[in-house]
Amino acid sequence: ESNKETEELITLKGMRLDTGVFDKAFINNASKQSIEYSNIPLLVIDGHLNDLKNVAKHIEANSQCIAIIADHFSDSVISLLRDNYNKGLLKVALIKSPGFAPVTSAHFAKSF
């Protein structure tokens, strides 16, 4: 939606999430202070990632490069992935899930 009278189309190649990185150790573009990869698999976690036992097979299957999106990462998960990243064993991006407010009955009632 726009307040303009004319139509405008903006096309983005790829995807951009305006969320913070969990650890600056994963930044691979120092000039932009960003994490940049092309054509990598995404592992989306519904909630917090507190250990890797349930997702280890997905990480191992994509051991060259993977982006993991979650609400939160535990310190132990960050530390383990950072160690593997620093050793050159894994290219990884840890991304905080974009925030969306949950729809509750109070919000639903107020929208009418």
Side-chain angles (χ1 to χ4, degrees):
E1 293 185 27
S2 174
N3 294 331
K4 298 178 182 180
E5 292 183 20
T6 60
E7 292 184 17
E8 183 177 332
L9 175 65
I10 299 172
T11 304
L12 298 175
K13 186 175 182 178
M15 184 175 79
R16 179 185 180 108
L17 294 174
D18 291 325
T19 62
V21 294
F22 275 87
D23 193 311
K24 291 188 177 198
F26 298 105
I27 291 175
N28 64 0
N29 187 330
S31 65
K32 292 183 181 178
Q33 287 294 295
S34 63
I35 299 171
E36 298 179 11
Y37 293 109
S38 296
N39 300 319
I40 66 170
L42 296 175
L43 177 59
V44 180
I45 306 297
D46 182 18
H48 294 225
L49 184 58
N50 294 318
D51 61 60
L52 296 175
K53 66 181 177 186
N54 293 330
V55 298
K57 64 182 176 187
H58 300 292
I59 294 172
E60 290 169 5
N62 298 289
S63 62
Q64 294 301 315
C65 195
I66 191 166
I68 305 172
I69 301 174
D71 292 338
H72 180 75
F73 297 90
S74 71
D75 291 339
S76 61
V77 166
I78 294 171
S79 178
L80 182 61
L81 292 174
R82 184 188 321 117
D83 289 346
N84 282 286
Y85 177 82
N86 288 335
K87 292 176 184 175
L89 302 174
L90 178 65
K91 293 179 183 176
V92 63
L94 301 183
I95 304 165
K96 180 170 174 37
S97 298
F100 297 101
V103 177
T104 64
S105 57
H107 288 109
F108 185 74
K110 288 180 183 178
S111 65
F112 286 106

